[in-house]
Amino acid sequence: MPFADGARFELTSECDELVLWFYFYIDYEAFDQLEDGIGRFHASWHRECPTDGIEQGDLTNGQFLFEGDNTTGDGNYTILETKGRGHYVGCTFNVTNLRHTEAWNWYGEGDDMIFVDGESWPPNIHGTGTEDYFNTAWCPSEPFHGPYHGITMPGGPNWSGQISMYRFHIEDPVTFSESVRVTIEHGHNNQRSDDISSVAYWYLDRIDETLTLPRSRSGCRGSPDGHHPSRAARRGHRGLTGHGMRRAAARPAGDPGRRGFVLDGVTGVTRIAQLTGPGAINDTASVLLAGADLGHMTTVGDRTWLVFGDNFGIREDDAFGGTGDVWKSNCLAWTTDDDPTDGLTFDGWILDDLDQVKEVLPENTSRTSRSGR
């Protein structure tokens, strides 16, 4: 994913209630300058819900699924449309089957049509069906994961519910000199009305300035945005100069690419006490807590509450970092010890029905231990 003066990675959760925990690290190489003509990596998300199909009306199920002739490519679902010189390297493709019927409900008869450099219909790259483009032919109903193609979600009985697949053109890139339009029919002859979304991946000889950040919460049926393409490619913080592999979370002091606060080291610290785990001043093993990190402390009345995050109930004595079993994302202890100069002795915990530390969020809790632990 080459970049010239910087890159920014963003992840946004649109969940109202579910708490998502996300772990990541980013590796990158920094150079004085990029090679001439190097392509820039792009990714583009698009969704149509529902696609612009037809009513079945008096058509038989077979006529609805298999008959009709698309001789223009108009109305196809668009996976990617861009201008410039580059190559298309694949996509992920998702279908939510919105047709509820006891009849045979196969979604995958839509042909792929890839128009290179403004060519008219029929394009040179014209496939024979959705299942064939994703190399999952004969109406797949089970998952398959290959290096360059696969189906991660095959749907439920009669291809109901959600389907997801991928195809990466690593060994067979689709190159273009002026433009490319990657499309696929939504059902044969664009006759189905399903919820389709995709992410396209491609390299371009420039930054595609037509890309925009998506609005959150694009609607489906009843939405004023019936067809809602949303794309994202952004440049951000300036990059490093010089050569070599860097870890984004560990820039060395004096690096000309430093921005903002960077912790270069810790000195002058005295260890007072270990609060949790083997050898701690508190018997945390008795409530199935072998390792934790402190997230927050707050005093309410005569109690100080301690919120621990990333907790493990069982772990080896020599374990360190994020390793162990019986993981809980958070737990809560309290103390009346008001002298932390020799550590903090816990008076109690929020416990579950097995007298083990309870994962407090998102459930409410009301029971505390007063055993003096």
Side-chain angles (χ1 to χ4, degrees), residues 294-308 331-338 344 346:
L294 179 61
H296 185 68
M297 296 174 61
T298 186
T299 299
V300 180
D302 63 347
R303 293 184 179 183
T304 297
W305 293 88
L306 300 93
V307 181
F308 294 93
C331 64
L332 194 62
W334 60 274
T335 181
T336 55
D337 188 346
D338 59 2
L344 291 174
F346 300 152

Side-chain angles (χ1 to χ4, degrees), residues 35-262:
E35 300 175 13
D36 291 338
I38 195 168
R40 303 301 180 85
F41 179 78
H42 291 70
S44 170
W45 178 78
H46 182 200
R47 182 187 184 195
E48 293 183 15
C49 179
T51 50
D52 188 17
I54 67 171
E55 296 292 335
Q56 180 174 344
D58 295 331
L59 297 175
T60 67
N61 195 60
Q63 290 172 330
F64 179 73
L65 293 180
F66 302 109
E67 292 190 4
D69 295 316
N70 180 355
T71 59
T72 64
D74 296 340
N76 290 1
Y77 174 86
T78 300
I79 296 173
L80 169 64
E81 184 170 11
T82 191
K83 293 182 178 181
R85 177 176 174 269
H87 65 269
Y88 165 65
V89 292
C91 71
T92 55
F93 188 79
N94 313 294
V95 178
T96 299
N97 193 330
L98 299 181
R99 184 173 181 245
H100 304 289
T101 177
E102 296 296 325
W104 207 64
N105 199 14
W106 171 238
Y107 65 90
E109 288 301 316
D111 295 352
D112 54 294
M113 304 179 193
I114 303 179
F115 300 83
V116 175
D117 294 338
E119 63 182 334
S120 58
W121 194 94
N124 287 321
I125 304 176
H126 186 170
T128 57
T130 304
E131 57 182 346
D132 301 322
Y133 174 71
F134 290 98
N135 294 323
T136 58
W138 299 102
C139 308
S141 58
E142 60 184 31
F144 171 78
H145 310 117
Y148 304 137
H149 71 275
I151 178 167
T152 54
M153 298 175 63
N158 202 17
W159 303 284
S160 59
Q162 295 179 320
I163 301 104
S164 185
M165 60 204 85
Y166 60 92
R167 167 78 184 274
F168 300 137
H169 295 266
I170 304 302
E171 297 182 332
D172 58 338
V174 179
T175 60
F176 52 94
S177 299
E178 300 174 0
S179 66
V180 70
R181 183 163 61 95
V182 181
T183 73
I184 195 165
E185 293 177 305
H186 41 94
H188 182 76
N189 196 32
N190 291 324
Q191 293 181 172
R192 290 188 60 100
S193 302
D194 292 316
D195 179 358
I196 297 181
S197 64
S198 60
V199 178
Y201 309 100
W202 75 102
Y203 285 90
L204 199 63
D205 62 351
R206 68 197 69 177
I207 301 296
D208 191 333
E209 300 293 349
T210 67
L211 302 184
T212 58
L213 288 175
R215 286 175 289 176
S216 64
R217 304 196 180 284
S218 60
C220 188
R221 291 188 180 274
S223 167
D225 306 286
H227 295 74
H228 185 71
S230 299
R231 300 176 173 180
R234 281 289 184 262
R235 291 173 287 177
H237 301 297
R238 297 186 59 84
L240 298 174
T241 60
H243 297 273
M245 182 67 72
R246 295 280 190 263
R247 187 63 66 85
R251 292 178 177 172
D255 195 309
R258 286 181 60 193
R259 289 178 60 122
F261 173 77
V262 176

Side-chain angles (χ1 to χ4, degrees), residues 264-277:
D264 295 325
V266 178
T267 60
V269 176
T270 301
R271 175 173 173 169
I272 297 174
Q274 178 181 334
L275 302 186
T276 64

